[in-house]
Amino acid sequence: MNETYPFLLQPLPYAYDALEPFIDEETVRLHHDGHLKAYVDKLNKILAPYPALHHWPLERLIFECHTLPGKIQTDVRNNAGGVYNHNLYFASMQAPDNQQVPQPLYQQICTSFGGWKEFQDAFSQAAANQFGSGYSWLAVGYRKSLKIINTPNQDTPLPKNLRPLLPLDVWEHAYYLKYKNKRMAYIQNWFSLVHWDAVNERFLSPR
Ligand code: MN
């Protein structure tokens, strides 16, 4: 996450069809090679005339967006967020494998939300209720407290001083080819793809 301008399209960490049958190959291909690539290209184009920003990592562009020249603030917020959120989204999935959720994350989630099923229900409801395009997140705040939050568009949890652990992209481009208007079916199936080891590593990371 420390890369700077010019940002590169990070390769998908698995094959395009690895998430079948829950997320189809065509959706993954369009989402990664089409949508994510567009955010990367647009971000580079916006930053090209601003050499002073060329050593800024993605997280700094997001955190300090309000300090940027007014005419690029919205574009940087949307496109830096688009790159950041999608990199995390794709890195948070893997081929379905019925893995156990590792400790200490499992216990912390059960303690925070009253049980594993309660967590899944709360996260699913949040994702189903996000009006229009956006994300649901499992995020960690002060003293490792866990929270479920939604962000609209390509906003991130970072400005809320929350560290993102797990994003779920509920933009229609993430599911519409296969699921049409059945967003809840996509949400339920997505749980089978979550890369819990990666989420646990983020939870354990000191920042
Ligand atoms: Mn997306």
Side-chain angles (χ1 to χ4, degrees):
M1 283 287 187
N2 284 325
E3 64 163 336
T4 59
Y5 176 93
F7 294 94
L8 302 173
L9 179 63
Q10 289 193 6
L12 196 66
Y14 33 75
Y16 290 103
D17 64 355
L19 307 180
E20 295 268 9
F22 300 122
I23 302 180
D24 58 290
E25 174 175 356
E26 188 184 6
T27 295
V28 173
R29 200 175 282 280
L30 274 168
H31 201 173
H32 181 271
D33 296 6
H35 292 279
L36 173 53
K37 182 171 189 301
Y39 286 114
V40 172
D41 292 347
K42 183 84 189 288
L43 180 61
N44 288 332
K45 197 173 163 198
I46 297 159
L47 295 176
Y50 298 90
L53 302 176
H54 289 184
H55 69 285
W56 283 34
L58 213 42
E59 286 198 11
R60 184 173 176 197
L61 288 166
I62 294 167
F63 262 121
E64 299 182 30
C65 193
H66 58 284
T67 69
L68 300 179
K71 68 176 185 175
I72 63 167
Q73 277 186 18
T74 302
D75 282 348
V76 168
R77 174 181 177 145
N78 288 337
N79 291 281
V83 175
Y84 182 87
N85 292 348
H86 282 101
N87 284 343
L88 212 52
Y89 171 72
F90 286 118
S92 299
M93 295 184 288
Q94 62 179 1
D97 78 341
N98 292 318
Q99 59 165 331
Q100 290 219 318
V101 180
Q103 299 290 4
L105 181 65
Y106 182 84
Q107 188 54 52
Q108 186 68 22
I109 284 177
C110 290
T111 303
S112 301
F113 301 104
W116 186 259
K117 184 178 181 303
E118 285 75 6
F119 159 69
Q120 285 201 328
D121 288 347
F123 194 97
S124 302
Q125 271 316 315
N129 290 340
Q130 168 59 33
F131 184 76
S133 297
Y135 291 77
S136 287
W137 302 85
L138 177 65
V140 61
Y142 181 62
R143 298 179 89 166
K144 298 268 184 197
S145 62
L146 293 178
K147 292 187 165 45
I148 294 168
I149 65 157
N150 284 1
T151 58
N153 305 311
Q154 292 296 353
D155 287 356
T156 80
L158 297 174
K160 302 176 197 288
N161 281 319
L162 293 171
R163 195 157 48 79
L165 299 181
L166 176 65
L168 172 55
D169 187 341
V170 291
W171 282 58
E172 286 186 346
H173 67 229
Y175 64 89
Y176 211 84
L177 282 180
K178 181 180 175 76
Y179 292 96
K180 306 297 186 284
N181 60 332
K182 306 279 193 277
R183 185 192 281 185
M184 190 51 119
Y186 158 68
I187 295 166
Q188 296 300 318
N189 282 341
W190 165 84
F191 276 106
S192 304
L193 301 170
V194 174
H195 190 342
W196 288 110
D197 285 330
V199 180
N200 192 46
E201 273 173 37
R202 285 178 207 131
F203 177 64
L204 290 172
S205 143
R207 63 162 298 280

